[in-house]
Amino acid sequence: MVKLIALYKTPKNKESFDEHYYGTHTEVTKKIPGLRKMEVTKITGSPMGDSKYYLLCEMYYDDQESLQAGMKSAEGKASGKDLMSFAGDLVTLMIGEEVDG
Amino acid sequence: MVKLIALYKTPKNKESFDEHYYGTHTEVTKKIPGLRKMEVTKITGSPMGDSKYYLLCEMYYDDQESLQAGMKSAEGKASGKDLMSFAGDLVTLMIGEEVDG
């Protein structure tokens, strides 16, 4: 499968980030057509102790075409706009393809 | 579940990186006790075009204790030593817990 990966740095205000993320952003994002699965991982640290990252979200699509179509849809644009409004300075986006390790 | 996440920046020499990564590093890593699943994602870009990242590897364990025990095992130390030998300057490690999005 193919996935869109969003990696967030730790926000200054975790409470307001969490409120918007779980209360609004994931709800808007789940509506994107073609989205097969969303996996959210809370970063708890690193082998060295702390981590500058806070959250990792992986959004799975069947293939690159479905992912591109999802992002271009009205729902995809709404999710992107919402993302930029609360985490534009925190997020790194990547697109990837699963391979056999 | 709990996972150890390794995010790699794009190496200067992709061919020699891939050779060591798939030929040696994943084989050493798969031997770590307690490892339930390993998911490797090849980064192909970002919504904006290119990405400075190259690869994401997620290694799943039952819980934080199993992950810590795995990293402290002889196999875990061998994997860590190997990692530093070929990608110490490219890799960011994180530990995370899956949550309901």
Side-chain angles (χ1 to χ4, degrees), chain B residues 44-88:
Chain B
T44 56
S46 81
M48 283 72 71
D50 288 342
S51 173
K52 68 173 177 177
Y53 295 105
Y54 185 64
L55 200 83
L56 177 77
C57 179
E58 297 167 273
M59 291 147 280
Y60 293 75
Y61 291 83
D62 287 337
D63 49 40
Q64 291 277 6
E65 290 67 32
S66 309
L67 189 154
Q68 295 295 337
M71 288 196 300
K72 281 177 192 157
S73 68
E75 295 86 350
K77 285 179 187 169
S79 171
K81 192 178 172 186
D82 181 64
L83 175 64
M84 289 306 132
S85 79
F86 82 101

Side-chain angles (χ1 to χ4, degrees), chain A residues 17-52:
Chain A
F17 178 96
D18 285 355
E19 198 181 312
H20 190 92
Y21 187 79
Y22 296 106
T24 301
H25 189 64
T26 58
E27 298 309 312
V28 172
T29 303
K30 281 175 184 169
K31 292 178 184 153
I32 298 176
L35 180 69
R36 296 286 179 216
K37 187 176 69 164
M38 184 158 83
E39 197 176 299
V40 178
T41 303
K42 205 171 169 59
I43 306 299
T44 57
S46 80
M48 283 71 73
D50 289 340
S51 173
K52 68 174 177 175

Side-chain angles (χ1 to χ4, degrees), chain A residues 3 5 7 22 26 30 39-47 58 60 64 93-99 101, chain B residues 3 7 22 26 30 39-47 56 58 60 64 93-99 101:
Chain A
K3 55 186 170 181
I5 302 161
L7 178 63
Y22 296 106
T26 58
K30 281 175 184 169
E39 197 176 299
V40 178
T41 303
K42 205 171 169 59
I43 306 299
T44 57
S46 80
E58 296 166 274
Y60 292 76
Q64 292 276 6
L93 294 170
M94 294 164 257
I95 294 170
E97 289 178 7
E98 283 184 293
V99 294
Chain B
K3 56 186 170 182
L7 177 63
Y22 295 107
T26 60
K30 280 175 185 169
E39 198 175 298
V40 178
T41 304
K42 205 170 169 61
I43 307 299
T44 56
S46 81
L56 177 77
E58 297 167 273
Y60 293 75
Q64 291 277 6
L93 294 169
M94 294 164 256
I95 294 169
E97 288 178 9
E98 281 183 295
V99 294

Side-chain angles (χ1 to χ4, degrees), chain A residues 12 14 25 37 45 50 60 62 74-75 77 84 93 96:
Chain A
K12 276 184 189 152
K14 293 178 186 177
H25 189 64
K37 187 176 69 164
D50 289 340
Y60 292 76
D62 287 337
E75 295 86 348
K77 284 177 186 168
M84 289 305 133
L93 294 170

